[in-house]
Amino acid sequence: MRSPSSVLAAPRIGRGWYLAAVLSAVLALGMCLLGWRQTQLADQIGAHPVRVEGVVTQLPGGSATYSGVRYQADGQQHSATDLALPAQAKVGDPICLEHAATDPGAVRVCDQHYPQAAGVRLAQISVPVALLVCLLCALRITRHRRSLGARIRQARVVTTVALATEALAEGMPAITQGKRSRRRRKGGRRALR
């Protein structure tokens, strides 16, 4: 019979599963907010678009730099970053932009739907992946907790059986020591009638 301590020595689930579940949920939420914000800006610009001409001030180069565009709206200078510029754009080239009539800061390149289409594509890809990772982590954690609960129940049964066997052994030494027990009656054998 296994001892209760060997039953309770269940493998522990690593903290990485909990951390991965939380981080993937946060990533999914963040990407949903990014996609929602881009959609909101696209709707705001699409409701009352105002066309202006901007100038390319910076081209994307690597992972740390974004495109930059400067434009004038309502008599003020504005700048926008990370817009989807045409492939042949150069620094100093004029570029057609549309901004929202109510918010000159909400701007996109003409003939584009979203201000930052890369952010929307990133959200469309990363949200399902993050939700899938979160679901897998949650299933693994739930499975571990159920298995741990079953082990604890099994340990209780083993402990109960061990205690019952010990109590039985103390009360009946003849069985545990391998000797036969005979009861003798007072008065000897009875005579057959």
Side-chain angles (χ1 to χ4, degrees), residues 16-183:
W17 289 100
Y18 293 100
L19 184 63
V22 170
L23 288 179
S24 59
V26 168
L27 176 68
L29 180 64
M31 289 294 113
C32 279
L33 289 175
L34 174 68
W36 174 76
R37 176 70 178 147
Q38 292 299 309
T39 305
Q40 183 187 28
L41 287 175
D43 291 344
Q44 187 177 2
I45 296 168
H48 301 289
V50 176
R51 287 195 176 219
V52 294
E53 188 171 296
V55 177
V56 177
T57 57
Q58 183 176 345
L59 293 174
S63 60
T65 59
Y66 300 104
S67 63
V69 176
R70 191 178 63 240
Y71 62 99
Q72 189 167 359
D74 294 338
Q76 295 182 351
Q77 283 287 96
H78 295 276
S79 62
T81 58
D82 201 21
L83 296 179
L85 299 178
Q88 68 274 12
K90 295 179 184 132
V91 174
D93 285 353
I95 188 165
C96 176
L97 299 173
E98 293 178 332
H99 71 79
T102 57
D103 182 10
V107 65
R108 68 182 175 198
V109 176
C110 295
D111 302 324
Q112 294 279 334
H113 184 69
Y114 297 106
Q116 297 169 341
V120 174
R121 281 192 297 276
L122 180 65
Q124 288 172 341
I125 294 168
S126 61
V127 168
V129 171
L131 288 176
L132 180 65
V133 170
C134 184
L135 178 66
L136 290 175
C137 291
L139 288 174
R140 174 68 177 106
I141 292 167
T142 304
R143 183 175 163 209
H144 175 73
R145 287 186 181 264
R146 285 183 184 162
S147 142
L148 188 62
R151 285 181 185 266
I152 289 173
R153 285 191 296 277
Q154 184 180 8
R156 287 181 184 156
V157 169
V158 168
T159 305
T160 303
V161 169
L163 290 175
T165 304
E166 186 179 320
L168 184 64
E170 289 174 3
M172 303 178 86
I175 291 176
T176 59
Q177 295 170 4
K179 299 177 184 175
R180 293 180 65 188
S181 172
R182 290 188 182 167
R183 254 192 196 171

